[in-house]
Amino acid sequence: MSGKFDAIYRQSIEHPEVFWAHAASELHWFKTWDDVIDGSNPPAARWFSGAEFNTAFNCLDRHVAAGHGAQNAIIYDSPVTGTVRHISYSELLDEVARFAGGLAKRGVVKGDRVIIYMPMVPEALVAMLACARLGAIHSVVFGGFAAKELATRIDDCQPKLIVGASCGIEVNRVVAYKPMIDEAISLSKHKPAHCIILQRDRARAEMVPGRDLDWKDVIAAEPHDCVPVAATDPLYILYTSGTTGAPKGVVRDNGGHAVALNWSMRNIYNMERGEVFWAASDVGWVVGHSYIVYAPLLYGCTTVLFEGKPVGTPDAGAFWRVIEQHKVATLFTAPTAFRAIKRDDPDGKLIGNYDISSLRALFLAGERSDPATLEWAEEKLRVPVIDHWWQTETGWAIAANCLGIELLPIKHGSPTRAVPGWDVRVLGDDGHPAKPGEIGNIVCKLPLPPSAFPTLWNAPERYRKSYFDHFPGYYETSDAGFIDDDGYVYIMARTDDIINVAGHRLSTGGMEEVLASHPDVAECAVIGVFDEVKGQLPLGFLVLKSGITKPHEKVVAEAVKLVRDKIGPVAAFKTATVVNRLPKTRSGKILRGTMQKIADGEAYNMPATIDDPAILGEIEGALKEVGYAHK
């Protein structure tokens, strides 16, 4: 089915040392490696051990030295402030080198941690790259996270200092960041030596004398050279977005991370150097780390940094306007964004107002991409729409349609096949291989490829126990799904979202796919609720498209029939309800676990990632409306 892809994939699995050494040869190394892969301390594999490297040098200095300094590195597009700013590679290098000098002047050295708590502004990227330039370890915390969440991360990584901003700016409000930083420091046991604050005109911050420093004063320093670090040294710590328990700090190394991301830009996303890449995410999430900051700059592309929400704003055509204005070649966003676009503009009329001919591909990730949304996007955009699957822990795609190698046939509902370097399997709960098409636990055979996390910050035992002990020799993804006869991977649900109905293991994700195909449904979620006879029964929540006037009861009846027709009576899908919104994290993931806890009647803490607690009240009311009383 795929000659070129198959050959490259086989080489990556059978001869990983050769494969990744070739990929690494595109980058600059201060000292080459002793071993491409060191598997002496499983389950972690250390890539390019013995090598010396600097990620910031490879993102900036290397391109300027090659004569590309005048090319745009960043296009900062901020409709909330009415700003568009172009920053060349030479300009970005100058700012990063001077801010690194300012950090060094305040005592930051190789191995120190720096927390970055900023909105989507160029200075956030400058701070990240300045840390990398010095060999310091940055930990970006999503701007707007509550003070308590910030405090737990301060105590866990113990930063030398914090880089923040006076405020974040949203469409209808200004969010004061500095008071949250001050409160977080008061709550934390560890006290950073300094806070460097970017003062923004919309809200000026009160400064603490002796501790707080103005960004303008810090960046006025002499430029600092790159500090070579071990390829296996940490580049950053990124805490997963959960809101309960001890924070889980995913560590990313320098060398392997850069090699994998640089390789992915050409081979997965089919980008050429100098082209414009837009990851419509936030630097606080892994997508932002990998594909707003590091991958585009490593490869020599121009990255779009968008401040604001491109969906649900007064600028309803923001996606199309940015693509037209900045000649975006590839767009990467979350399925939830396109479901919202489809809900508000079901006929795609707005797209016709813009010239989006520069766009060659749309990539979706972050949550399961339902076939109905993929089909809608294909029809309206007339470019390949590629679902791909990866995790905070991996840093890049595990499964994808690698456009830069060869476009494989697209199967809706599948992120296509395992990416070169990833040996993906499906195991039953007993650890035995599942049959093709049989739902089980999706795992990745060790050793994991470059960029996969080598540990959790200060928690090596938790690293092993959480991800590797259950299935020895494999990384447990905690996703459930199957692989078909063609090797296509299907991610159906988190393992927690597989429900057991009268002894049948059923995927709530499969039911959601069917519900999302209903012409009136914009998005949906299915959870399992307790049933005395069958153990569990599925319950659906439907959000309808704008302008639907059909009675809710009729839509529900049609949706129930659709599931029973397409999946069969075994699904035992009998109940659904219409809601205005679904509870989501700030990164757009539906909080099915929270909905499940409400249904189970468990006491739960209000997740700080939900902007509007009224959404939870609506879910609770919807449960009562359909007559479900938890046991």
Side-chain angles (χ1 to χ4, degrees):
M1 183 172 60
S2 51
K4 186 177 181 184
F5 176 83
D6 282 343
I8 291 173
Y9 182 79
R10 272 197 309 274
Q11 187 196 37
S12 77
I13 300 300
E14 295 171 7
H15 305 288
E17 298 92 342
V18 175
F19 183 89
W20 291 113
H22 178 71
S25 67
E26 293 187 8
L27 299 173
H28 174 274
W29 301 82
F30 290 100
K31 176 180 177 292
T32 53
W33 48 86
D34 299 325
D35 297 294
V36 175
I37 179 171
D38 175 5
S40 62
N41 187 28
R46 307 313 302 265
W47 288 90
F48 308 105
S49 59
E52 291 185 356
F53 189 83
N54 186 279
T55 297
F57 186 96
N58 278 277
C59 286
L60 301 174
D61 305 64
R62 181 169 65 99
H63 301 307
V64 173
H68 306 309
Q71 180 197 313
N72 285 329
I74 298 171
I75 298 174
Y76 169 53
D77 190 306
S78 173
V80 293
T81 62
T83 304
V84 173
R85 179 183 167 203
H86 297 78
I87 303 169
S88 71
Y89 270 90
S90 290
E91 290 166 338
L92 184 58
L93 171 58
D94 179 61
E95 288 193 33
V96 168
R98 287 189 290 111
F99 194 69
L103 292 177
K105 191 175 177 182
R106 275 78 189 178
V108 175
V109 298
K110 181 166 72 173
D112 282 343
R113 277 79 60 208
V114 174
I115 278 184
I116 299 169
Y117 182 78
M118 299 188 82
M120 288 283 285
V121 292
E123 288 83 359
L125 278 65
V126 169
M128 294 168 73
L129 290 161
C131 290
R133 192 172 189 82
L134 295 175
I137 304 164
H138 66 68
S139 184
V140 180
V141 178
F142 175 71
F145 258 166
K148 184 178 178 183
E149 290 175 303
L150 180 55
T152 61
R153 287 148 175 78
I154 292 171
D155 279 334
D156 194 66
C157 77
Q158 300 193 339
K160 176 70 70 73
L161 51 79
I162 294 176
V163 182
S166 60
C167 67
I169 300 168
E170 299 183 2
V171 177
N172 297 315
R173 61 175 182 152
V174 174
V175 181
Y177 280 16
K178 180 58 163 48
M180 288 191 275
I181 295 173
D182 292 338
E183 184 182 351
I185 292 173
S186 73
L187 291 171
S188 62
K189 295 185 180 72
H190 175 80
K191 307 298 180 186
H194 294 290
C195 292
I196 300 170
I197 301 298
L198 174 70
Q199 294 280 18
R200 306 190 77 189
D201 292 339
R202 298 286 181 93
R204 310 289 291 182
E206 291 289 328
M207 305 288 270
V208 176
R211 186 197 73 185
D212 295 347
L213 307 169
D214 192 297
W215 174 281
K216 290 188 296 186
D217 297 331
V218 175
I219 204 170
E222 288 295 313
H224 200 290
D225 286 339
C226 289
V227 176
V229 300
T232 53
D233 281 346
L235 171 67
Y236 69 74
I237 304 164
L238 179 59
Y239 290 95
T240 55
S241 56
T243 57
T244 58
K248 190 162 63 174
V250 168
V251 173
R252 196 81 63 215
D253 67 7
N254 273 272
H257 168 255
V259 170
L261 293 196
N262 184 67
W263 183 90
S264 74
M265 288 298 286
R266 177 72 185 90
N267 291 281
I268 296 178
Y269 301 102
N270 197 28
M271 293 295 293
E272 298 292 343
R273 288 177 174 81
E275 292 185 322
V276 180
F277 188 86
W278 182 21
S281 181
D282 189 284
V283 292
W285 310 122
V286 69
V287 169
H289 280 58
S290 294
Y291 291 102
I292 294 175
V293 186
Y294 288 114
L297 297 179
L298 283 163
Y299 196 64
C301 289
T302 299
T303 185
V304 175
L305 180 71
F306 186 90
E307 184 181 22
K309 295 178 181 177
V311 178
T313 71
D315 181 8
F319 268 113
W320 324 128
R321 190 267 303 165
V322 170
I323 292 168
E324 176 186 71
Q325 184 173 345
H326 305 309
K327 302 294 184 285
V328 173
T330 296
L331 170 64
F332 177 175
T333 190
T336 189
F338 264 74
R339 285 194 286 266
I341 291 170
K342 186 176 74 166
R343 179 194 65 209
D344 296 340
D345 184 21
D347 298 323
K349 292 178 181 176
L350 279 172
I351 300 172
N353 297 334
Y354 299 88
D355 176 6
I356 60 168
S357 57
S358 65
L359 187 70
R360 292 200 304 270
L362 166 66
F363 280 81
L364 300 173
E367 190 169 44
R368 291 189 66 255
S369 299
D370 59 280
T373 298
L374 289 172
E375 290 166 6
W376 183 91
E378 284 174 337
E379 178 191 341
K380 305 305 179 190
L381 301 182
R382 300 171 189 254
V383 298
V385 178
I386 307 300
D387 179 21
H388 63 328
W389 166 61
W390 49 298
Q391 300 177 324
T392 301
E393 289 84 352
T394 69
W396 66 301
I398 307 171
N401 203 326
C402 295
L403 289 191
I405 298 175
E406 113 180 84
L407 175 62
L408 300 179
I410 292 172
K411 295 187 181 185
H412 293 142
S414 170
T416 314
R417 293 174 55 182
V419 168
W422 292 97
D423 188 349
V424 179
R425 313 281 181 94
V426 181
L427 302 179
D429 290 338
D430 59 3
H432 290 113
K435 298 172 184 174
E438 182 181 8
I439 289 178
N441 301 279
I442 298 187
V443 298
C444 302
K445 192 174 186 298
L446 302 183
L448 298 182
S451 185
F453 67 141
T455 190
L456 295 175
W457 183 254
N458 284 338
E461 196 53 42
R462 186 180 182 190
Y463 171 73
R464 183 184 297 273
K465 185 176 179 182
S466 297
Y467 298 100
F468 302 98
D469 279 1
H470 192 186
F471 299 110
Y474 296 91
Y475 162 66
E476 183 180 6
T477 68
S478 294
D479 279 318
F482 63 92
I483 298 176
D484 72 7
D485 290 327
D486 295 324
Y488 277 59
V489 179
Y490 289 77
I491 310 299
M492 302 309 295
R494 298 294 285 172
T495 50
D496 291 344
D497 293 328
I498 296 294
I499 62 175
N500 197 315
V501 179
H504 299 284
R505 281 165 58 87
L506 297 173
S507 159
T508 56
M511 297 179 212
E512 289 175 3
E513 272 187 16
V514 175
L515 291 172
S517 71
H518 189 287
D520 298 335
V521 174
E523 58 182 350
C524 58
V526 175
I527 62 172
V529 296
F530 175 79
D531 181 76
E532 288 181 349
V533 177
K534 295 182 179 288
Q536 281 184 295
L537 285 176
L539 171 62
F541 295 86
L542 312 177
V543 178
L544 304 187
K545 294 175 182 174
S546 295
I548 299 298
T549 57
K550 188 186 296 182
H552 290 178
E553 296 80 3
K554 185 169 174 55
V555 177
V556 167
E558 292 170 355
V560 169
K561 183 176 185 301
L562 205 57
V563 173
R564 294 179 73 80
D565 287 348
K566 292 195 176 182
I567 296 180
V570 67
F573 188 86
K574 299 176 182 177
T575 310
T577 183
V578 173
V579 294
N580 291 317
R581 291 170 297 174
L582 296 170
K584 297 179 183 179
T585 66
R586 289 191 182 119
S587 61
K589 293 182 181 178
I590 297 170
L591 287 161
R592 293 173 179 84
T594 298
M595 297 168 70
Q596 187 74 59
K597 287 180 179 179
I598 297 171
D600 291 344
E602 295 178 9
Y604 62 91
N605 295 319
M606 182 71 69
T609 45
I610 298 179
D611 288 320
D612 186 356
I615 301 174
L616 298 183
E618 184 178 348
I619 298 297
E620 202 156 12
L623 286 163
K624 292 175 182 174
E625 193 175 297
V626 297
Y628 177 73
H630 59 76
K631 305 295 182 183

